[in-house]
Amino acid sequence: FVLIGVGGVGIDNFPLEQWPELDDVTWIFPDNTLACSSSNKRADFVPQSQFEMNYIDLLSSCDLVLTKTGYGTQTESVVNKIPTICITRPDWPEHEYLSNWHEKHGDVEFIEWNNVGTPAFAEMVVDMLGKALWTRKSVIPNGAKEAANT
């Protein structure tokens, strides 16, 4: 299972007609993304609501996450040890710092928006799904404690 979780940026107008169909891969999309697409009837496209799980539980149950640089899904994927394909946001002030943090603590590959859905993206997904199990040290989510102590 590959979770598509790009937060507030959204992909509601992304042409899912060109989304890759890969053996043994099910894509989990936000419900509104599938509702906006004429390709929403593909058997490998599943809405998040079908799982009846909260977002973090769904994320931690997946094999791979596609997200964008940001504090939510990107950091949760590291904490929950889920490999990630991260869409770059070079115009966002925190992009460099979060990207460096993710590379240090998690299993991540970066891609630009205009390459999502392309054959290069499909190859990246297959490569990420084929990697060995997570071998990095666990990241303990203690940001609130750190902030309170400063």
Side-chain angles (χ1 to χ4, degrees), residues 5-130:
V6 293
V9 173
I11 57 171
D12 296 346
N13 295 316
F14 193 85
L16 296 182
E17 299 79 26
Q18 69 186 45
W19 205 265
E21 292 186 57
L22 303 172
D23 291 339
D24 301 319
V25 173
T26 300
W27 305 95
I28 304 171
F29 285 93
D31 291 33
N32 59 332
T33 299
L34 293 180
C36 295
S37 172
S38 61
S39 294
N40 63 0
K41 302 297 184 217
R42 276 182 39 182
D44 60 335
F45 286 1
V46 179
Q48 288 178 9
S49 63
Q50 181 173 320
F51 294 91
E52 298 180 351
M53 300 170 74
N54 72 50
Y55 186 76
I56 301 303
D57 289 341
L58 180 59
L59 179 148
S60 65
S61 301
C62 289
D63 303 297
L64 180 66
V65 172
L66 171 67
T67 191
K68 49 119 174 86
T69 304
Y71 296 113
T73 301
Q74 185 179 14
T75 56
E76 289 294 344
S77 67
V78 173
V79 169
N80 288 284
K81 301 181 178 181
I82 304 300
T84 305
I85 296 175
C86 191
I87 301 166
T88 61
R89 293 172 70 189
D91 58 333
W92 192 57
E94 302 296 322
H95 172 77
E96 178 184 351
Y97 306 105
L98 275 173
S99 297
N100 291 340
W101 177 85
H102 201 155
E103 285 180 317
K104 179 179 178 183
H105 298 287
D107 193 357
V108 63
E109 293 289 337
F110 294 94
I111 193 166
E112 294 180 11
W113 267 111
N114 60 346
N115 290 322
V116 173
T118 66
F121 168 69
E123 185 176 318
M124 186 180 285
V125 169
V126 170
D127 288 347
M128 292 291 285
L129 289 171

